Amino acid sequence: DGGITQSPKYLFRKEGQNVTLSCEQNLNHDAMYWYRQDPGQGLRLIYYSQIVNDFQKGDIAEGYSVSREKKESFPLTVTSAQKNPTAFYLCAGGPRGGEQFFGPGTRLTVL
Amino acid sequence: AQSVTQPDIHITVSEGASLELRCNYSYGATPYLFWYVQSPGQGLQLLLKYFSGDTLVQGIKGFEAEFKRSQSSFNLRKPSVHWSDAAEYFCAVGENTNAGKSTFGDGTTLTVKP
């Protein structure tokens, strides 16, 4: 599985609350990525990072924030500004420009 | 900007039959190309990748894909489908730069009839 772990698998939050999704890797990947997947749709890139202490917005960054303080960790915060946060969130890691190894995903439901 | 099109949203094949999933891409330079598979509620798993060289690429689980530059295609094939192949399949094109992010197609759902 490329050594990507995500927790928790299911997450429930009340509307208006911020929530942080965890993503950890143990294979020394330079690059890490966060995607959102909605039913019947492909993956949409939220944020990505190619190096520690640096990250770039993807296609749908509004309402999300990330940090990359350690190479092993790339947490995603879903803020109250995200208008429709209920979705399946996938974290991935890999060599820069290369294939990506995905975690098992976190299903976030906002009530 | 790069883009990927998977023309078939849903394909149904009989077990033991051959399979071809289509993928067309748009990218200004030589692309990096990938196929991934996703079972329901799971993450994606890499099936195969193309960076350069031989245009026929072998992957895991008996899958192969052929890069055709003239057609901007990277179709996935398998000679004999097994029931366990039922899943969603994603084609992706990666930037051949230091940025290195990928763009994914919308996926093709494969159903296997017994």
Side-chain angles (χ1 to χ4, degrees):
Chain A
D1 64 358
I4 304 292
T5 57
Q6 292 185 246
S7 61
K9 190 168 179 63
Y10 299 95
L11 191 54
F12 297 88
R13 280 295 182 268
K14 292 183 179 179
E15 196 170 340
Q17 288 182 335
N18 291 358
V19 60
T20 297
L21 282 58
S22 168
C23 179
E24 303 282 331
Q25 58 118 342
N26 62 7
L27 289 183
N28 207 34
H29 295 310
D30 284 327
M32 297 188 76
Y33 308 83
W34 273 105
Y35 295 93
R36 171 182 172 138
Q37 188 177 30
D38 293 285
Q41 297 191 27
L43 278 66
R44 292 185 289 169
L45 182 64
I46 304 173
Y47 269 98
Y48 65 105
S49 169
Q50 302 286 1
I51 194 170
V52 174
N53 291 322
D54 190 38
F55 48 82
Q56 285 77 42
K57 293 182 179 179
D59 301 317
I60 57 163
E62 185 175 351
Y64 300 98
S65 66
V66 294
S67 64
R68 186 91 185 272
E69 297 176 2
K70 298 184 301 181
K71 193 172 189 178
E72 304 79 28
S73 180
F74 192 42
L76 173 74
T77 296
V78 184
T79 75
S80 57
Q82 169 48 235
K83 291 182 172 40
N84 185 20
T86 293
F88 189 51
Y89 290 88
L90 287 161
C91 180
R96 288 192 210 179
E99 65 271 33
Q100 295 179 22
F101 301 93
F102 285 81
T106 292
R107 187 167 299 281
L108 173 64
T109 302
V110 175
L111 306 172
Chain B
Q2 64 212 49
S3 65
V4 177
T5 301
Q6 293 181 246
D8 304 304
I9 296 173
H10 197 164
I11 282 184
T12 299
V13 299
S14 297
E15 190 167 15
S18 64
L19 171 70
E20 183 169 27
L21 302 181
R22 296 183 292 164
C23 173
N24 293 98
Y25 69 89
S26 172
Y27 186 64
T30 301
Y32 292 164
L33 295 162
F34 310 92
W35 274 100
Y36 295 85
V37 61
Q38 183 183 33
S39 297
Q42 305 291 322
L44 279 69
Q45 180 184 21
L46 179 71
L47 286 175
L48 48 77
K49 62 187 179 185
Y50 172 79
F51 287 169
S52 64
D54 193 345
T55 56
L56 186 62
V57 179
Q58 302 297 321
I60 62 171
K61 305 185 181 188
F63 286 93
E64 66 177 27
E66 186 171 12
F67 170 56
K68 293 186 177 180
R69 185 187 301 274
S70 61
Q71 299 177 20
S72 296
S73 70
F74 189 57
N75 294 350
L76 182 71
R77 300 193 295 247
K78 187 169 186 178
S80 178
V81 169
H82 188 263
W83 63 266
S84 61
D85 293 324
E88 189 155 23
Y89 292 80
F90 292 94
C91 180
V93 58
E95 290 181 355
N96 188 357
T97 67
N98 276 338
K101 58 186 176 72
S102 293
T103 298
F104 288 77
D106 288 338
T108 297
T109 300
L110 173 65
T111 298
V112 180
K113 294 191 302 185

